[in-house]
Amino acid sequence: MKQLSTKVTSNGHGQDSSYFLGWEEYEKNPYDEIKNPNGMIQMGLAENQLCFDLIESWLAKNPDAASLKRNGQSIFKELALFQDYHGMPEFKKAMAEFMEEIRGNRVTFNPKKIVLAAGSTSANETLMFCLAEPGDAFLLPTPYYPGFDRDLKWRTGAEIVPIHCSSSNGFQITESALQQAYQQAHKLGLKVKGVLVTNPSNPLGTALTRRELNLLVDFITSKNIHLISDEIYSGTMFGFEQFISVMDVLKDKKLENTDVSKRVHVVYSLSKDLGLPGFRVGAIYSNDDMIVSAATKMSSFGLVSSQTQYLLSALLSDKKFTSQYLEENQKRLKSRQKRLVSGLESAGITCLRSNAGLFCWVDMRHLLDTNTFEAELDLWKKIVYNVKLNISPGSSCHCTEPGWFRVCFANMSEDTLDLALKRLKTFVESTDCGRMISRSSHERLKSLRKKTVSNWVFRVSWSDRVPDER
Amino acid sequence: MDLLSRTATCNSHGQESSYFLGWEEYEKNPYDVVKNPHGIIQMGLAENQLCFDLLESWLIQNPDAASFKRDGQSIFRELALFQDYHGLSSFKNALADFMSEIRQNRVSFDSNNLVLTAGATSANETLMFCLANPGDAFLLPTPYYPGFDRDLKWRTGVEIVPIQCSSSNGFRITKLALEEAYEQAKKLNLNVKGVLITNPSNPLGTTTTQAELNILFEFISKNKNIHLVSDEIYSGTAFSSSEFISVMEILKNNQLENNEVFNRVHIVYSLSKDLGLPGFRVGAIYSNDKDVISAATKMSSFGLVSSQTQYLLSSLLSDKKFTKNYLRENQSRLKSRQRMLVTGLEAIGIGCLKSNAGLFCWVDMRHLLSSKTFEAEMDLWKKIVYEVKLNISPGSSCHCEEPGWFRACFANMSEETLKLALKRLKKFVDNGILPRSCQVGESQSLKSSRKKTTMTTVSNWVFRLSFHDRDAEER
C-alpha cells in the first residue's frame, strides 16, 4: 500500500491481539444487571463513575451553563464564534484554581501558562512535538499506560525507553534504574530529551514519593533534560498522604524561576478527576514561555469546544462545588478501593498498596503456571473467557514481571463489583483451572502468543475498537 | 535553545510581520458602533454571522439538546463518558445527511466513511499524516488559505508546491499550470502525493468548475499514486446549490465506484463556515478508502469532538425541517450581502472576481497600486489598515502570484458596518491615492520589513514570539 504514509502502514505488525480479544469479548457479551447478568464485567476501563450525581445536581441548579446563557442572556453567538487558541480566560483561570485546590493551594498556577488541548492525549502528543525530534527518546518508568506508545511515539517519531521498576520495592523509581535507562538509550543511539512520569501512577495507583520526585528533579537537572509529569489522576488521591506534585518539589527545593523549572511541565485533564472523558478537556502547564507559545499554536489541531469551555468554567468557578466535589470524590474512591482490596484478599489475592487512581495493581503471580508472560496471557484468557472479567494484563503496560494485572473499580456499581469479586473467588477456589479452557479456543490463541507484547495496536482487519480510555 | 524541537523553534524567521500588523492594529482599535465608531473594521475574518437568529430560535424551541437531555431524560452520564473515536453515530448520520442535502442529494454519504475531527484544521493535518511522508509534496492552486502552510506542513513535514493560477482566466486551474507544478516538484526532488483544492475556493469565493474538475481527475487518473483532497468547508455557502459540484459527484457521474481512483479522492468538511460555529470545533474527513478511514479514526484521538457538542449538533442537524430552511436562508442572505459589497465596490470603481460562494470577495485593487509589485501591495494594504481603518487580507498572504488582489469578508458584520466600510473606502479612493503623499508614519523597522516582503515566496506560518501572538486563526 505505497499510496499511504508509512505512519499508516508500518504498524500492521507488533500488535497485541490478545489485548483486543478481551475487548472484543466484552463487546460481544457485555454484562447488564437485568438483560445479561452472566455477561462480561468490564474492569479494564479507568473511568470515574462515582460522582456523576454531584455534577448532575449542580447542572440542575445552574441551567444557564449548559444552555449557553450568562445571567439568563443568550451568549450563543459569542461562544459559537470563539475559537481563540489562547482559550477562554475564565476557563483557564478556573482550571488553574482547580489545579491549585487539588494541591492544597500549596503552589500556584498562572492561567497564562496553561495551554488547553483536546484531552491529555492531545496534550501529551503536543508536548512531544515541542520537545523531541524524530528519533529522540523519553524515559518512562514501567509499568505505564499502554496508550503512551501511540500518544508519544506514533506521529512524532519519538522513542520510549523504559525505566524498569520492580515489585521488590513496590515498583518505585530508583536512581540505578534511571541511570540504566539513560545508558540503554545511549546504547541504542538515542538522544534522551526527558523523563515522563504519571503521578499518581497508572496502572499502579500510587502517588510518587517525595524521594522519587527529588530523584527525578536531580536527575533532569544533572542531565539537562525535561521532566513531564502527567498529573491526570491528581484529584483521585485518597490516601492518608497528601498528593505531592512536581510543582511542590520545585517550590520546596527553591527552584522556582530557575532554568530547571523551565524544563518541568505538567499535563492535566478533567477525564479522570471529574469523570468527563467525553468532553475532551486537557491541559499543558509549562514555565517555559517558548513552549507555551509553540504549544498554544499547536493546540489549533485540538482545541476544546467553546461550548464545553463555557460549561466547565461555570462549574469549576463554583468553589463551593469544587471543594465539596473533591472531598466527596476522594471519600467514595477510597471506599470503593477498599471494597476491591478486601474482596481480593478474601480470595487470597493481594494488591500493591495504593493511595490513588481508579484501579488496583493486582498480584496474581501465585496463580501463574510458570513465571512467564505466556502463563500470564493464559491466566488472562481464563479470566476473560471463564470468569468473564475484562482486566488488563501487566504485559500490556510493559511490566517486566509477569503476573500483575490492573483492575478498575470506579466504573461500575457496588453490586457489580461485588459480583465480579464473587466470580473471581469462585475461580480461584476451583482447583482445576487449566481444564476450563476449551481446546479450540486454546489452539487459536496459542498462535497469537508473543514473547514481547507491543502495545500500539493497528490491526485493520480486526474490528478496530481500541480501548481509548486509560 | 536546543532543548526545544526544531518544530517548535523553526519558524521564527520567514514571518510576514505586516500581516500581523493588521491584526495588531485591529486588536488595539476595534470598531464598535457605539463605543468606538472610528475604530478598525475587521474584514479579514471569514466568519458567517448572518444566520445566528435561526440557530438561536431552534435552540429555544429545542432546549433538551443543549441540556444533556433526550426526551426530557438526562443523558449526561452517557455523554460525559462517550469518548469513542468512531464518533456518536446519530451525529455522524446527521452530518452525512447534511452533506448530502448541501449537494441536493445528487450524491449520498455513508457515515461509516466519515471521521470526526476537532475542526477542518485537524482534519487536513490528519489527512496529510495519512497520505504523505515527511518530504512528500502536495500541489495547491494559488491563491490559497494562509493557514494551509501551518496545517499541511508544520508537524507533518509535508511540502506545498503551488499550482500558479492567474487573473487572465479568472484564476482557474489549467492543465498547463498543474503539469508545471508537478514538474517543479520533481525539480525540487519532491515526491508528489496529491493535489489539494478548496471548493468553493478560499480566497476566491468561486466554485470549482466542471472543466477544472475534469482536468484534476484526468491528472490523478494518469498518475495513480496521487490523491485528490477536496476541502469542501464552504460547500453550504454556494449561493446556488446547483453551481457547486463536489468531487464525489464526479466519481458518481463518471461511474468510478469500481475504479481504483475511487479510493484516492477524499473530502474535508466542517461546520465552521456553513453553520457559523468555529468555536465548536467540528470537522470531518470523508474517504472511500477503508485504510485511510481506519488510520484517520485512530488519529482523531488527538482531536476528538466534545460529546457535548456532538449531541447538540446531532439534534440540530437531524431536524430536516430546520436544515432545509437554514440552507436556503443562508444562501439567500449570503448572496444578498455579497451583492451589497460588490455593488458598493463597483461604485468606487473597484472590481471583484465574479464570485458565487464563500464569505468574502476577491477584490481587484491593482489599479490602486503605485507599481505592479508586492511592495506596492504592502504599501496599499498598510494605508487601508492605518488610514481607511479596514483590516483586509493582502493577496500575497495567500500566495497570489499577482500583486494587487485582496480578500474582503462580508459576512462577519452587520449591514450598517459594511456600508460604513464601503463609505470609508470610497472617501479614500475619491481623495486619490498618491503613495508619496501618504506617509503613514512608518517607523524604520517597518521600512526594513518591507524589504522582506518583496520576496516572491512569502512564508506564512508565523511564529514570532516577541509579537503579541494573536494569530489569524480564522480562515
Side-chain angles (χ1 to χ4, degrees), chain A residues 90 95 124 216-217 270 333 356 381 404 426 439 447 450 454:
Chain A
E90 321 86 80
M95 278 284 272
N124 279 315
L216 288 163
V217 173
L270 299 180
L333 286 171
K381 277 166 212 157
W404 293 86
T426 308
R439 196 157 281 284
S447 62
K450 282 195 171 83
S454 161

PDB file of all heavy atoms in Angstrom, chain A residues 90 95 124 216-217 270 333 356 381 404 426 439 447 450 454:
ATOM      1  N   GLU A  90     -11.724  32.898  31.384  1.00  0.00           N
ATOM      2  CA  GLU A  90     -12.420  32.467  32.615  1.00  0.00           C
ATOM      3  C   GLU A  90     -12.208  30.991  32.848  1.00  0.00           C
ATOM      4  O   GLU A  90     -12.136  30.529  33.989  1.00  0.00           O
ATOM      5  CB  GLU A  90     -13.942  32.695  32.552  1.00  0.00           C
ATOM      6  CG  GLU A  90     -14.414  33.966  31.884  1.00  0.00           C
ATOM      7  CD  GLU A  90     -14.545  33.826  30.376  1.00  0.00           C
ATOM      8  OE1 GLU A  90     -15.559  33.280  29.899  1.00  0.00           O
ATOM      9  OE2 GLU A  90     -13.605  34.282  29.694  1.00  0.00           O
ATOM     10  N   MET A  95      -9.519  26.581  35.745  1.00  0.00           N
ATOM     11  CA  MET A  95      -8.678  25.380  35.702  1.00  0.00           C
ATOM     12  C   MET A  95      -7.472  25.555  36.610  1.00  0.00           C
ATOM     13  O   MET A  95      -7.114  24.649  37.378  1.00  0.00           O
ATOM     14  CB  MET A  95      -8.159  25.119  34.274  1.00  0.00           C
ATOM     15  CG  MET A  95      -9.125  24.424  33.372  1.00  0.00           C
ATOM     16  SD  MET A  95      -9.261  22.654  33.712  1.00  0.00           S
ATOM     17  CE  MET A  95      -7.945  22.028  32.677  1.00  0.00           C
ATOM     18  N   ASN A 124      -0.246  15.434  25.624  1.00  0.00           N
ATOM     19  CA  ASN A 124       0.999  14.679  25.643  1.00  0.00           C
ATOM     20  C   ASN A 124       1.672  14.657  24.273  1.00  0.00           C
ATOM     21  O   ASN A 124       2.888  14.837  24.167  1.00  0.00           O
ATOM     22  CB  ASN A 124       0.749  13.246  26.135  1.00  0.00           C
ATOM     23  CG  ASN A 124       0.671  13.162  27.650  1.00  0.00           C
ATOM     24  OD1 ASN A 124       1.494  13.741  28.357  1.00  0.00           O
ATOM     25  ND2 ASN A 124      -0.315  12.450  28.166  1.00  0.00           N
ATOM     26  N   LEU A 216      14.038  12.483  40.619  1.00  0.00           N
ATOM     27  CA  LEU A 216      13.751  12.871  39.234  1.00  0.00           C
ATOM     28  C   LEU A 216      14.226  14.287  38.945  1.00  0.00           C
ATOM     29  O   LEU A 216      14.845  14.539  37.903  1.00  0.00           O
ATOM     30  CB  LEU A 216      12.246  12.768  38.962  1.00  0.00           C
ATOM     31  CG  LEU A 216      11.711  11.339  38.859  1.00  0.00           C
ATOM     32  CD1 LEU A 216      10.185  11.309  39.009  1.00  0.00           C
ATOM     33  CD2 LEU A 216      12.114  10.705  37.522  1.00  0.00           C
ATOM     34  N   VAL A 217      13.933  15.199  39.846  1.00  0.00           N
ATOM     35  CA  VAL A 217      14.343  16.586  39.620  1.00  0.00           C
ATOM     36  C   VAL A 217      15.867  16.692  39.589  1.00  0.00           C
ATOM     37  O   VAL A 217      16.440  17.375  38.733  1.00  0.00           O
ATOM     38  CB  VAL A 217      13.730  17.531  40.692  1.00  0.00           C
ATOM     39  CG1 VAL A 217      14.298  18.929  40.563  1.00  0.00           C
ATOM     40  CG2 VAL A 217      12.222  17.578  40.532  1.00  0.00           C
ATOM     41  N   LEU A 270      -9.526  16.677  32.684  1.00  0.00           N
ATOM     42  CA  LEU A 270     -10.700  16.520  33.558  1.00  0.00           C
ATOM     43  C   LEU A 270     -11.356  15.145  33.366  1.00  0.00           C
ATOM     44  O   LEU A 270     -12.439  14.892  33.875  1.00  0.00           O
ATOM     45  CB  LEU A 270     -11.717  17.641  33.278  1.00  0.00           C
ATOM     46  CG  LEU A 270     -11.194  19.067  33.545  1.00  0.00           C
ATOM     47  CD1 LEU A 270     -12.293  20.096  33.241  1.00  0.00           C
ATOM     48  CD2 LEU A 270     -10.719  19.210  34.985  1.00  0.00           C
ATOM     49  N   LEU A 333     -13.907   7.126  46.294  1.00  0.00           N
ATOM     50  CA  LEU A 333     -12.876   6.324  45.661  1.00  0.00           C
ATOM     51  C   LEU A 333     -12.178   5.447  46.698  1.00  0.00           C
ATOM     52  O   LEU A 333     -11.930   4.261  46.479  1.00  0.00           O
ATOM     53  CB  LEU A 333     -11.847   7.221  44.965  1.00  0.00           C
ATOM     54  CG  LEU A 333     -12.308   7.883  43.672  1.00  0.00           C
ATOM     55  CD1 LEU A 333     -11.294   8.908  43.205  1.00  0.00           C
ATOM     56  CD2 LEU A 333     -12.528   6.853  42.573  1.00  0.00           C
ATOM     57  N   ALA A 356      -4.271   6.076  45.386  1.00  0.00           N
ATOM     58  CA  ALA A 356      -4.836   6.975  44.367  1.00  0.00           C
ATOM     59  C   ALA A 356      -5.342   6.155  43.188  1.00  0.00           C
ATOM     60  O   ALA A 356      -5.198   4.925  43.169  1.00  0.00           O
ATOM     61  CB  ALA A 356      -3.774   7.963  43.889  1.00  0.00           C
ATOM     62  N   LYS A 381      -6.578 -15.022  29.704  1.00  0.00           N
ATOM     63  CA  LYS A 381      -7.630 -15.551  28.855  1.00  0.00           C
ATOM     64  C   LYS A 381      -8.670 -16.302  29.672  1.00  0.00           C
ATOM     65  O   LYS A 381      -9.863 -16.220  29.415  1.00  0.00           O
ATOM     66  CB  LYS A 381      -7.041 -16.464  27.778  1.00  0.00           C
ATOM     67  CG  LYS A 381      -6.521 -15.682  26.589  1.00  0.00           C
ATOM     68  CD  LYS A 381      -5.659 -16.553  25.709  1.00  0.00           C
ATOM     69  CE  LYS A 381      -4.571 -15.742  25.039  1.00  0.00           C
ATOM     70  NZ  LYS A 381      -3.417 -16.557  24.637  1.00  0.00           N
ATOM     71  N   TRP A 404       1.079  -9.550  37.023  1.00  0.00           N
ATOM     72  CA  TRP A 404       0.371  -8.400  37.579  1.00  0.00           C
ATOM     73  C   TRP A 404      -0.737  -7.975  36.623  1.00  0.00           C
ATOM     74  O   TRP A 404      -0.580  -8.051  35.412  1.00  0.00           O
ATOM     75  CB  TRP A 404       1.325  -7.234  37.807  1.00  0.00           C
ATOM     76  CG  TRP A 404       2.335  -7.506  38.887  1.00  0.00           C
ATOM     77  CD1 TRP A 404       3.541  -8.137  38.751  1.00  0.00           C
ATOM     78  CD2 TRP A 404       2.212  -7.162  40.275  1.00  0.00           C
ATOM     79  NE1 TRP A 404       4.182  -8.217  39.951  1.00  0.00           N
ATOM     80  CE2 TRP A 404       3.390  -7.623  40.913  1.00  0.00           C
ATOM     81  CE3 TRP A 404       1.233  -6.519  41.039  1.00  0.00           C
ATOM     82  CZ2 TRP A 404       3.614  -7.448  42.285  1.00  0.00           C
ATOM     83  CZ3 TRP A 404       1.454  -6.346  42.401  1.00  0.00           C
ATOM     84  CH2 TRP A 404       2.637  -6.812  43.010  1.00  0.00           C
ATOM     85  N   THR A 426     -14.684 -17.622  43.246  1.00  0.00           N
ATOM     86  CA  THR A 426     -15.083 -18.959  42.804  1.00  0.00           C
ATOM     87  C   THR A 426     -14.011 -19.572  41.908  1.00  0.00           C
ATOM     88  O   THR A 426     -13.637 -20.740  42.062  1.00  0.00           O
ATOM     89  CB  THR A 426     -16.410 -18.886  42.021  1.00  0.00           C
ATOM     90  OG1 THR A 426     -17.361 -18.175  42.792  1.00  0.00           O
ATOM     91  CG2 THR A 426     -16.927 -20.268  41.689  1.00  0.00           C
ATOM     92  N   ARG A 439     -10.591 -26.675  24.160  1.00  0.00           N
ATOM     93  CA  ARG A 439      -9.460 -26.983  23.299  1.00  0.00           C
ATOM     94  C   ARG A 439      -9.384 -26.030  22.105  1.00  0.00           C
ATOM     95  O   ARG A 439      -8.338 -25.503  21.764  1.00  0.00           O
ATOM     96  CB  ARG A 439      -9.580 -28.423  22.799  1.00  0.00           C
ATOM     97  CG  ARG A 439      -8.291 -28.981  22.228  1.00  0.00           C
ATOM     98  CD  ARG A 439      -8.268 -30.492  22.278  1.00  0.00           C
ATOM     99  NE  ARG A 439      -7.946 -31.004  23.608  1.00  0.00           N
ATOM    100  CZ  ARG A 439      -6.702 -31.006  24.120  1.00  0.00           C
ATOM    101  NH1 ARG A 439      -5.712 -30.516  23.445  1.00  0.00           N
ATOM    102  NH2 ARG A 439      -6.486 -31.494  25.331  1.00  0.00           N
ATOM    103  N   SER A 447      -1.528 -19.553  18.791  1.00  0.00           N
ATOM    104  CA  SER A 447      -0.799 -18.935  17.682  1.00  0.00           C
ATOM    105  C   SER A 447      -0.639 -17.428  17.826  1.00  0.00           C
ATOM    106  O   SER A 447       0.156 -16.811  17.147  1.00  0.00           O
ATOM    107  CB  SER A 447      -1.500 -19.255  16.360  1.00  0.00           C
ATOM    108  OG  SER A 447      -2.789 -18.699  16.384  1.00  0.00           O
ATOM    109  N   LYS A 450       2.807 -13.992  21.970  1.00  0.00           N
ATOM    110  CA  LYS A 450       4.104 -13.455  21.591  1.00  0.00           C
ATOM    111  C   LYS A 450       4.890 -13.185  22.858  1.00  0.00           C
ATOM    112  O   LYS A 450       4.331 -12.854  23.880  1.00  0.00           O
ATOM    113  CB  LYS A 450       3.919 -12.143  20.828  1.00  0.00           C
ATOM    114  CG  LYS A 450       3.509 -12.313  19.386  1.00  0.00           C
ATOM    115  CD  LYS A 450       3.701 -10.997  18.627  1.00  0.00           C
ATOM    116  CE  LYS A 450       3.503 -11.180  17.152  1.00  0.00           C
ATOM    117  NZ  LYS A 450       2.085 -11.137  16.767  1.00  0.00           N
ATOM    118  N   SER A 454       3.822  -5.829  21.937  1.00  0.00           N
ATOM    119  CA  SER A 454       3.842  -4.426  21.566  1.00  0.00           C
ATOM    120  C   SER A 454       2.445  -3.870  21.697  1.00  0.00           C
ATOM    121  O   SER A 454       1.473  -4.528  21.345  1.00  0.00           O
ATOM    122  CB  SER A 454       4.316  -4.298  20.121  1.00  0.00           C
ATOM    123  OG  SER A 454       3.935  -3.040  19.629  1.00  0.00           O
TER     124      SER A 454
END
